[in-house]
PDB file of all heavy atoms in Angstrom:
ATOM      1  N   ALA A 277      -1.186   2.497 -20.352  1.00  0.00           N
ATOM      2  CA  ALA A 277       0.184   2.169 -20.720  1.00  0.00           C
ATOM      3  C   ALA A 277       0.584   0.778 -20.223  1.00  0.00           C
ATOM      4  O   ALA A 277       1.046  -0.045 -20.995  1.00  0.00           O
ATOM      5  CB  ALA A 277       1.155   3.242 -20.128  1.00  0.00           C
ATOM      6  N   ILE A 278       0.062   0.378 -19.051  1.00  0.00           N
ATOM      7  CA  ILE A 278       0.381  -1.004 -18.487  1.00  0.00           C
ATOM      8  C   ILE A 278      -0.379  -1.936 -19.322  1.00  0.00           C
ATOM      9  O   ILE A 278       0.235  -2.957 -19.673  1.00  0.00           O
ATOM     10  CB  ILE A 278      -0.128  -1.013 -17.015  1.00  0.00           C
ATOM     11  CG1 ILE A 278       0.671  -0.005 -16.007  1.00  0.00           C
ATOM     12  CG2 ILE A 278       0.003  -2.348 -16.507  1.00  0.00           C
ATOM     13  CD1 ILE A 278       2.115  -0.499 -15.867  1.00  0.00           C
ATOM     14  N   SER A 279      -1.634  -1.782 -19.617  1.00  0.00           N
ATOM     15  CA  SER A 279      -2.365  -2.750 -20.397  1.00  0.00           C
ATOM     16  C   SER A 279      -1.781  -2.880 -21.775  1.00  0.00           C
ATOM     17  O   SER A 279      -1.750  -3.938 -22.254  1.00  0.00           O
ATOM     18  CB  SER A 279      -3.890  -2.283 -20.514  1.00  0.00           C
ATOM     19  OG  SER A 279      -4.434  -2.161 -19.248  1.00  0.00           O
ATOM     20  N   ALA A 280      -1.399  -1.784 -22.378  1.00  0.00           N
ATOM     21  CA  ALA A 280      -0.862  -1.886 -23.776  1.00  0.00           C
ATOM     22  C   ALA A 280       0.457  -2.746 -23.787  1.00  0.00           C
ATOM     23  O   ALA A 280       0.706  -3.453 -24.750  1.00  0.00           O
ATOM     24  CB  ALA A 280      -0.697  -0.375 -24.387  1.00  0.00           C
ATOM     25  N   LEU A 281       1.276  -2.341 -22.904  1.00  0.00           N
ATOM     26  CA  LEU A 281       2.664  -3.040 -22.977  1.00  0.00           C
ATOM     27  C   LEU A 281       2.397  -4.569 -22.493  1.00  0.00           C
ATOM     28  O   LEU A 281       3.126  -5.455 -22.874  1.00  0.00           O
ATOM     29  CB  LEU A 281       3.630  -2.405 -21.963  1.00  0.00           C
ATOM     30  CG  LEU A 281       4.078  -0.927 -22.457  1.00  0.00           C
ATOM     31  CD1 LEU A 281       4.942  -0.231 -21.366  1.00  0.00           C
ATOM     32  CD2 LEU A 281       4.864  -0.997 -23.826  1.00  0.00           C
ATOM     33  N   ALA A 282       1.534  -4.728 -21.588  1.00  0.00           N
ATOM     34  CA  ALA A 282       1.244  -5.995 -21.062  1.00  0.00           C
ATOM     35  C   ALA A 282       0.731  -6.894 -22.284  1.00  0.00           C
ATOM     36  O   ALA A 282       0.988  -8.043 -22.437  1.00  0.00           O
ATOM     37  CB  ALA A 282       0.361  -6.136 -20.016  1.00  0.00           C
ATOM     38  N   ALA A 283      -0.189  -6.307 -23.058  1.00  0.00           N
ATOM     39  CA  ALA A 283      -0.695  -6.931 -24.220  1.00  0.00           C
ATOM     40  C   ALA A 283       0.391  -7.363 -25.241  1.00  0.00           C
ATOM     41  O   ALA A 283       0.261  -8.448 -25.813  1.00  0.00           O
ATOM     42  CB  ALA A 283      -1.795  -6.063 -24.932  1.00  0.00           C
ATOM     43  N   ARG A 284       1.341  -6.509 -25.276  1.00  0.00           N
ATOM     44  CA  ARG A 284       2.402  -6.858 -26.273  1.00  0.00           C
ATOM     45  C   ARG A 284       3.362  -8.118 -25.795  1.00  0.00           C
ATOM     46  O   ARG A 284       3.803  -8.831 -26.621  1.00  0.00           O
ATOM     47  CB  ARG A 284       3.463  -5.575 -26.437  1.00  0.00           C
ATOM     48  CG  ARG A 284       2.858  -4.430 -27.194  1.00  0.00           C
ATOM     49  CD  ARG A 284       3.913  -3.502 -27.497  1.00  0.00           C
ATOM     50  NE  ARG A 284       3.509  -2.626 -28.582  1.00  0.00           N
ATOM     51  CZ  ARG A 284       4.264  -1.892 -29.404  1.00  0.00           C
ATOM     52  NH1 ARG A 284       5.639  -1.835 -29.130  1.00  0.00           N
ATOM     53  NH2 ARG A 284       3.843  -1.011 -30.241  1.00  0.00           N
ATOM     54  N   PHE A 285       3.419  -8.227 -24.466  1.00  0.00           N
ATOM     55  CA  PHE A 285       4.352  -9.351 -23.959  1.00  0.00           C
ATOM     56  C   PHE A 285       3.525 -10.594 -23.553  1.00  0.00           C
ATOM     57  O   PHE A 285       4.179 -11.562 -23.296  1.00  0.00           O
ATOM     58  CB  PHE A 285       5.073  -8.855 -22.703  1.00  0.00           C
ATOM     59  CG  PHE A 285       6.063  -7.743 -23.040  1.00  0.00           C
ATOM     60  CD1 PHE A 285       5.968  -6.529 -22.408  1.00  0.00           C
ATOM     61  CD2 PHE A 285       6.971  -7.872 -23.954  1.00  0.00           C
ATOM     62  CE1 PHE A 285       6.955  -5.426 -22.686  1.00  0.00           C
ATOM     63  CE2 PHE A 285       7.877  -6.783 -24.384  1.00  0.00           C
ATOM     64  CZ  PHE A 285       7.783  -5.631 -23.609  1.00  0.00           C
ATOM     65  N   SER A 286       2.268 -10.500 -23.538  1.00  0.00           N
ATOM     66  CA  SER A 286       1.336 -11.579 -23.091  1.00  0.00           C
ATOM     67  C   SER A 286       1.398 -12.763 -24.177  1.00  0.00           C
ATOM     68  O   SER A 286       1.315 -12.383 -25.345  1.00  0.00           O
ATOM     69  CB  SER A 286       0.109 -11.171 -22.646  1.00  0.00           C
ATOM     70  OG  SER A 286      -0.717 -12.371 -22.436  1.00  0.00           O
ATOM     71  N   SER A 287       1.387 -13.904 -23.857  1.00  0.00           N
ATOM     72  CA  SER A 287       1.426 -15.002 -24.871  1.00  0.00           C
ATOM     73  C   SER A 287       0.128 -15.248 -25.477  1.00  0.00           C
ATOM     74  O   SER A 287      -0.081 -15.684 -26.511  1.00  0.00           O
ATOM     75  CB  SER A 287       1.833 -16.378 -24.238  1.00  0.00           C
ATOM     76  OG  SER A 287       1.111 -16.680 -23.177  1.00  0.00           O
ATOM     77  N   GLY A 288      -0.999 -14.815 -24.707  1.00  0.00           N
ATOM     78  CA  GLY A 288      -2.284 -14.851 -25.291  1.00  0.00           C
ATOM     79  C   GLY A 288      -2.943 -13.541 -25.132  1.00  0.00           C
ATOM     80  O   GLY A 288      -2.316 -12.547 -24.892  1.00  0.00           O
ATOM     81  N   ARG A 289      -4.297 -13.531 -25.490  1.00  0.00           N
ATOM     82  CA  ARG A 289      -5.010 -12.224 -25.342  1.00  0.00           C
ATOM     83  C   ARG A 289      -5.209 -11.909 -23.833  1.00  0.00           C
ATOM     84  O   ARG A 289      -5.872 -12.700 -23.046  1.00  0.00           O
ATOM     85  CB  ARG A 289      -6.374 -12.408 -26.023  1.00  0.00           C
ATOM     86  CG  ARG A 289      -7.214 -11.089 -26.120  1.00  0.00           C
ATOM     87  CD  ARG A 289      -8.518 -11.301 -26.869  1.00  0.00           C
ATOM     88  NE  ARG A 289      -9.168 -10.070 -27.051  1.00  0.00           N
ATOM     89  CZ  ARG A 289     -10.530 -10.058 -27.253  1.00  0.00           C
ATOM     90  NH1 ARG A 289     -11.172 -11.129 -27.368  1.00  0.00           N
ATOM     91  NH2 ARG A 289     -11.115  -8.835 -27.542  1.00  0.00           N
ATOM     92  N   ILE A 290      -4.783 -10.721 -23.396  1.00  0.00           N
ATOM     93  CA  ILE A 290      -4.859 -10.472 -21.980  1.00  0.00           C
ATOM     94  C   ILE A 290      -6.108  -9.864 -21.580  1.00  0.00           C
ATOM     95  O   ILE A 290      -6.745  -9.134 -22.497  1.00  0.00           O
ATOM     96  CB  ILE A 290      -3.755  -9.513 -21.561  1.00  0.00           C
ATOM     97  CG1 ILE A 290      -3.488  -9.550 -20.054  1.00  0.00           C
ATOM     98  CG2 ILE A 290      -3.904  -8.129 -22.118  1.00  0.00           C
ATOM     99  CD1 ILE A 290      -2.187  -8.789 -19.595  1.00  0.00           C
ATOM    100  N   ARG A 291      -6.625 -10.158 -20.528  1.00  0.00           N
ATOM    101  CA  ARG A 291      -7.937  -9.619 -19.970  1.00  0.00           C
ATOM    102  C   ARG A 291      -7.775  -8.301 -19.250  1.00  0.00           C
ATOM    103  O   ARG A 291      -6.728  -8.113 -18.618  1.00  0.00           O
ATOM    104  CB  ARG A 291      -8.640 -10.667 -18.929  1.00  0.00           C
ATOM    105  CG  ARG A 291      -9.862 -10.304 -18.497  1.00  0.00           C
ATOM    106  CD  ARG A 291     -10.425 -11.092 -17.397  1.00  0.00           C
ATOM    107  NE  ARG A 291     -10.656 -12.426 -17.733  1.00  0.00           N
ATOM    108  CZ  ARG A 291     -11.860 -12.892 -18.244  1.00  0.00           C
ATOM    109  NH1 ARG A 291     -12.903 -12.207 -18.290  1.00  0.00           N
ATOM    110  NH2 ARG A 291     -11.955 -14.233 -18.629  1.00  0.00           N
ATOM    111  N   SER A 292      -8.626  -7.459 -19.553  1.00  0.00           N
ATOM    112  CA  SER A 292      -8.627  -6.033 -18.890  1.00  0.00           C
ATOM    113  C   SER A 292      -9.983  -5.860 -18.158  1.00  0.00           C
ATOM    114  O   SER A 292     -10.953  -6.419 -18.681  1.00  0.00           O
ATOM    115  CB  SER A 292      -8.329  -4.858 -19.809  1.00  0.00           C
ATOM    116  OG  SER A 292      -9.384  -4.816 -20.848  1.00  0.00           O
ATOM    117  N   VAL A 293      -9.886  -5.046 -17.086  1.00  0.00           N
ATOM    118  CA  VAL A 293     -11.098  -4.916 -16.252  1.00  0.00           C
ATOM    119  C   VAL A 293     -11.275  -3.394 -15.981  1.00  0.00           C
ATOM    120  O   VAL A 293     -10.332  -2.795 -15.493  1.00  0.00           O
ATOM    121  CB  VAL A 293     -11.181  -5.775 -14.965  1.00  0.00           C
ATOM    122  CG1 VAL A 293     -12.615  -5.585 -14.303  1.00  0.00           C
ATOM    123  CG2 VAL A 293     -10.863  -7.144 -15.340  1.00  0.00           C
ATOM    124  N   ALA A 294     -12.518  -2.887 -16.168  1.00  0.00           N
ATOM    125  CA  ALA A 294     -12.783  -1.432 -15.703  1.00  0.00           C
ATOM    126  C   ALA A 294     -13.952  -1.368 -14.722  1.00  0.00           C
ATOM    127  O   ALA A 294     -14.708  -2.222 -14.737  1.00  0.00           O
ATOM    128  CB  ALA A 294     -13.081  -0.711 -17.046  1.00  0.00           C
ATOM    129  N   LEU A 295     -14.024  -0.185 -14.175  1.00  0.00           N
ATOM    130  CA  LEU A 295     -15.126   0.022 -13.092  1.00  0.00           C
ATOM    131  C   LEU A 295     -16.041   0.997 -13.656  1.00  0.00           C
ATOM    132  O   LEU A 295     -15.713   2.030 -14.280  1.00  0.00           O
ATOM    133  CB  LEU A 295     -14.572   0.438 -11.809  1.00  0.00           C
ATOM    134  CG  LEU A 295     -15.518   1.039 -10.788  1.00  0.00           C
ATOM    135  CD1 LEU A 295     -16.362  -0.169 -10.180  1.00  0.00           C
ATOM    136  CD2 LEU A 295     -14.839   1.684  -9.636  1.00  0.00           C
ATOM    137  N   ASP A 296     -17.459   0.813 -13.492  1.00  0.00           N
ATOM    138  CA  ASP A 296     -18.383   1.857 -13.757  1.00  0.00           C
ATOM    139  C   ASP A 296     -19.491   1.786 -12.740  1.00  0.00           C
ATOM    140  O   ASP A 296     -19.459   0.912 -11.852  1.00  0.00           O
ATOM    141  CB  ASP A 296     -19.070   1.392 -15.184  1.00  0.00           C
ATOM    142  CG  ASP A 296     -19.689   2.699 -15.761  1.00  0.00           C
ATOM    143  OD1 ASP A 296     -19.708   3.674 -15.172  1.00  0.00           O
ATOM    144  OD2 ASP A 296     -20.118   2.480 -16.880  1.00  0.00           O
ATOM    145  N   PHE A 297     -20.439   2.697 -12.777  1.00  0.00           N
ATOM    146  CA  PHE A 297     -21.473   2.864 -11.842  1.00  0.00           C
ATOM    147  C   PHE A 297     -22.816   2.948 -12.468  1.00  0.00           C
ATOM    148  O   PHE A 297     -22.805   3.572 -13.662  1.00  0.00           O
ATOM    149  CB  PHE A 297     -21.459   3.914 -10.878  1.00  0.00           C
ATOM    150  CG  PHE A 297     -20.073   4.016  -9.934  1.00  0.00           C
ATOM    151  CD1 PHE A 297     -18.969   4.669 -10.409  1.00  0.00           C
ATOM    152  CD2 PHE A 297     -20.046   3.223  -8.912  1.00  0.00           C
ATOM    153  CE1 PHE A 297     -17.854   4.668  -9.606  1.00  0.00           C
ATOM    154  CE2 PHE A 297     -18.879   3.110  -8.043  1.00  0.00           C
ATOM    155  CZ  PHE A 297     -17.881   3.861  -8.460  1.00  0.00           C
ATOM    156  N   VAL A 298     -23.871   2.473 -11.981  1.00  0.00           N
ATOM    157  CA  VAL A 298     -25.141   2.556 -12.539  1.00  0.00           C
ATOM    158  C   VAL A 298     -25.553   4.035 -12.636  1.00  0.00           C
ATOM    159  O   VAL A 298     -25.449   4.895 -11.724  1.00  0.00           O
ATOM    160  CB  VAL A 298     -26.164   1.890 -11.717  1.00  0.00           C
ATOM    161  CG1 VAL A 298     -27.596   2.227 -12.124  1.00  0.00           C
ATOM    162  CG2 VAL A 298     -26.069   0.395 -11.664  1.00  0.00           C
ATOM    163  N   GLY A 299     -25.893   4.506 -13.937  1.00  0.00           N
ATOM    164  CA  GLY A 299     -26.261   5.898 -14.186  1.00  0.00           C
ATOM    165  C   GLY A 299     -24.997   6.859 -14.104  1.00  0.00           C
ATOM    166  O   GLY A 299     -25.293   8.068 -14.017  1.00  0.00           O
ATOM    167  N   TYR A 300     -23.814   6.349 -14.094  1.00  0.00           N
ATOM    168  CA  TYR A 300     -22.658   7.289 -14.006  1.00  0.00           C
ATOM    169  C   TYR A 300     -22.474   8.357 -15.044  1.00  0.00           C
ATOM    170  O   TYR A 300     -22.470   9.491 -14.896  1.00  0.00           O
ATOM    171  CB  TYR A 300     -21.388   6.425 -13.981  1.00  0.00           C
ATOM    172  CG  TYR A 300     -20.211   7.245 -13.530  1.00  0.00           C
ATOM    173  CD1 TYR A 300     -19.928   7.795 -12.205  1.00  0.00           C
ATOM    174  CD2 TYR A 300     -19.149   7.648 -14.516  1.00  0.00           C
ATOM    175  CE1 TYR A 300     -18.911   8.599 -11.867  1.00  0.00           C
ATOM    176  CE2 TYR A 300     -18.081   8.505 -14.289  1.00  0.00           C
ATOM    177  CZ  TYR A 300     -17.827   8.799 -12.894  1.00  0.00           C
ATOM    178  OH  TYR A 300     -16.830   9.520 -12.586  1.00  0.00           O
TER     179      TYR A 300
END
Side-chain angles (χ1 to χ4, degrees):
I278 296 293
S279 296
L281 292 175
R284 286 193 165 195
F285 296 125
S286 180
S287 57
R289 190 182 183 196
I290 198 165
R291 184 189 292 268
S292 62
V293 185
L295 172 69
D296 200 359
F297 298 102
V298 173
Y300 189 75

